[in-house]
Amino acid sequence: MEKVRTRDFIYTTDGLFFASTNYVHPEGRYISFLRYVPDENGDREKNGTKYRKVSSDEAYEYLTENYPDYLYDCDVTKVKNMMGVPLEKVEQIIRPQNRLRDIRENGESKNPEIVAKLLDVADFFHYVAGIDYDHLGISGSILPGLHKSDVSDIDFVIFGLENHRKAMKAFRENKGKDVYIDEIGKSIKVMGITDDYWDFLYDKRIKDDSLSKEEFRWYENRKGNRGTIDGTLFDILATKDYDEIEGEWGDTVYEPIGVASVECKIVSALGAFDNPSLYTIEDLKIIDGVEAPITELVSFTHTYAGEVEDEEEVVARGKVEKVIKNGTDISYRLVVGTTRESIDEYIKLKESPA
C-alpha cells in the first residue's frame, strides 16, 4: 500500500472522490470520506463529467444505495458502516504537494483568478515564512480540480508541525501589510477575514447553535489560521510530515461508549492545529452523559482546531471513547467532529467571550 496522509484525495474506479482522514490505514483499505460524486445536474465539471459535493448524510446515503463495498465495520474504532476505499478501487492518489507543484510548473487554465491567488499564498509562505515549496500544498476542491471561482476557497496545506507554526507566525505578523518580495518582484498582501465574509463562513461551518456568530468571530480572529487574499478565503492547514507519523493501524483501538458534556481545564494545546486537534486536560467535571475519566479532547473538524489555549477553562460535548493501546494501556477521550457538520458537538470557553 502507498502511504496516504490526511488531506490527500483518492479518485476511485467508480468515479468518486474521497478525502483521506487518517495518517495510518488498515491493510487493504484507506480510511477516507466521500466528498464528490458524479451527477449530471452537478455544479462542478472535470473532463466532461459533472460532479456535486455531498454532505455527511448524503455521503452515507449515496454509498449505502450505490456502493456499499466502501462501507465496513471497523474493528479499531468499533464504528459500523465506516467509510474506507478498498485498495482495488483506487484509481489515483492525489497529493496536495504534487498538485501545487504541477500548478506552479505547468499552470492551470480552470478558474485562473483563484489559481493566481493560490500561487500568491504559496509564495508568501515560501519567501516570508521560509518554508520550502515541497512542504506546501493545496487540498479542498482545487486538489481534484473541482474548484469554482464563485464559491471555492483555498485549503492551503503546510506539511510539518513546526513549519505550520512558522506559517501561522508569518501570517499574524504580516496580515494587512503590503509585503514586497524581491525574488519575484511583487507585493503580496494577506488579510484577516473581512466583514463581508463572516456570515458566509459562519453558515458554512456552524450548523446548529453551538456558537453564536459573535462567538465564532471572536474565536476565528484569535486563532489566526484563516484569512483572505484579494477577497478569497484561505485556511492554513497542518499535516504531519512522514517522519512525524507514528504507530501502525491496530496499535490503538477506540471503543465508543456514549456521549458526554464536560467542564475541564486545558493543560496543553500544543497539538491544537494537528488533525485531529489534541488538547490534554485536567480538573474534569462531567455535566451529563457517560461517566469516564477523560484526559483528552480531540477534534476532527477544522472548526474547533486551535479553539482554546493552555490554562483556559472550557466546556465540551462529544462522543466518549475508550482508548486501548497495545492491548493493555487504557485511557479515555472526548471526540468532537464525528461528522463534518459536528451537530451538538463543540469545544469552547466556559465563559462566553462574546
Side-chain angles (χ1 to χ4, degrees):
M1 290 178 65
E2 293 186 53
K3 291 184 178 180
V4 171
R5 290 184 287 187
T6 297
R7 307 193 203 287
D8 289 350
F9 265 58
I10 300 170
Y11 179 63
T12 78
T13 55
D14 296 305
L16 311 177
F17 286 98
F18 285 75
S20 172
T21 55
N22 264 52
Y23 288 112
V24 294
H25 304 269
E27 188 68 28
R29 192 180 290 265
Y30 291 116
I31 304 303
S32 50
F33 207 91
L34 180 63
R35 298 301 307 279
Y36 299 97
V37 302
D39 186 332
E40 61 183 11
N41 297 313
D43 60 346
R44 301 161 192 259
E45 184 273 334
K46 182 177 181 178
N47 298 331
T49 300
K50 289 188 175 182
Y51 294 85
R52 66 179 172 90
K53 189 176 183 178
V54 292
S55 67
S56 296
D57 288 343
E58 289 174 324
Y60 280 108
E61 290 171 4
Y62 185 89
L63 293 179
T64 299
E65 293 175 6
N66 300 284
Y67 301 103
D69 47 338
Y70 288 92
L71 300 172
Y72 80 113
D73 295 343
C74 181
D75 58 341
V76 168
T77 62
K78 307 302 181 184
V79 173
K80 293 186 179 297
N81 287 330
M82 186 168 174
M83 291 187 201
V85 177
L87 194 58
E88 64 273 13
K89 293 279 190 175
V90 176
E91 179 75 20
Q92 181 186 10
I93 296 170
I94 313 171
R95 305 183 192 281
Q97 70 276 28
N98 293 346
R99 174 71 165 132
L100 178 60
R101 183 186 304 117
D102 182 62
I103 293 173
R104 290 185 61 246
E105 294 177 354
N106 302 310
E108 172 83 18
S109 60
K110 185 176 184 179
N111 296 323
E113 297 88 356
I114 193 171
V115 171
K117 297 172 188 180
L118 162 64
L119 293 177
D120 279 352
V121 172
D123 287 339
F124 176 85
F125 287 122
H126 175 68
Y127 290 107
V128 180
I131 303 170
D132 192 277
Y133 283 117
D134 287 342
H135 287 88
L136 305 176
I138 180 65
S139 192
S141 61
I142 299 177
L143 180 54
L146 293 172
H147 47 294
K148 295 175 59 182
S149 58
D150 57 336
V151 299
S152 294
D153 49 16
I154 298 171
D155 293 323
F156 202 83
V157 183
I158 310 292
F159 293 99
L161 300 184
E162 182 58 37
N163 285 333
H164 186 260
R165 284 187 279 270
K166 290 164 61 178
M168 296 274 286
K169 182 174 185 289
F171 174 62
R172 288 170 177 151
E173 292 178 350
N174 292 280
K175 65 181 176 180
K177 301 177 183 178
D178 282 304
V179 180
Y180 186 80
I181 301 173
D182 290 329
E183 293 87 342
I184 57 175
K186 69 180 296 186
S187 291
I188 295 175
K189 187 175 185 179
V190 291
M191 302 288 293
I193 302 172
T194 54
D195 288 342
D196 52 334
Y197 269 99
W198 282 113
D199 285 348
F200 166 79
L201 199 53
Y202 179 80
D203 292 340
K204 178 181 178 181
R205 284 288 173 184
I206 305 300
K207 303 299 182 181
D208 58 12
D209 60 356
S210 295
L211 294 177
S212 69
K213 286 185 179 180
E214 293 74 18
E215 289 173 319
F216 178 78
R217 182 168 181 162
W218 186 89
Y219 285 113
E220 292 299 309
N221 277 327
R222 182 172 77 156
K223 285 193 284 186
N225 65 335
R226 179 179 286 129
T228 59
I229 182 165
D230 295 333
T232 294
L233 288 163
F234 68 87
D235 288 319
I236 310 170
L237 304 171
T239 293
K240 289 179 180 176
D241 264 334
Y242 288 113
D243 61 4
E244 294 176 315
I245 300 171
E246 298 178 346
E248 296 180 359
W249 186 261
D251 287 351
T252 305
V253 175
Y254 304 93
E255 182 180 325
I257 60 173
V259 174
S261 300
V262 306
E263 293 180 3
C264 58
K265 182 178 179 180
I266 302 297
V267 175
S268 174
L270 185 62
F273 288 100
D274 193 9
N275 187 38
S277 306
L278 173 64
Y279 307 90
T280 57
I281 66 170
E282 64 183 6
D283 299 338
L284 174 73
K285 176 183 176 182
I286 305 294
I287 301 173
D288 62 57
V290 175
E291 293 279 347
I294 299 165
T295 56
E296 294 179 342
L297 310 179
V298 298
S299 173
F300 284 92
T301 172
H302 187 55
T303 302
Y304 295 105
E307 191 81 347
V308 292
E309 300 178 354
D310 292 356
E311 302 299 315
E312 291 185 333
E313 294 184 349
V314 308
V315 291
R317 180 173 175 81
K319 180 175 69 175
V320 180
E321 291 183 340
K322 183 178 183 180
V323 182
I324 307 169
K325 294 183 178 180
N326 300 316
T328 57
D329 187 11
I330 296 175
S331 61
Y332 294 84
R333 68 180 191 174
L334 187 139
V335 181
V336 174
T338 55
T339 66
R340 181 175 173 82
E341 292 78 15
S342 304
I343 302 298
D344 199 29
E345 298 177 350
Y346 53 80
I347 302 170
K348 58 186 179 180
L349 294 177
K350 183 177 177 181
E351 298 295 332
S352 171

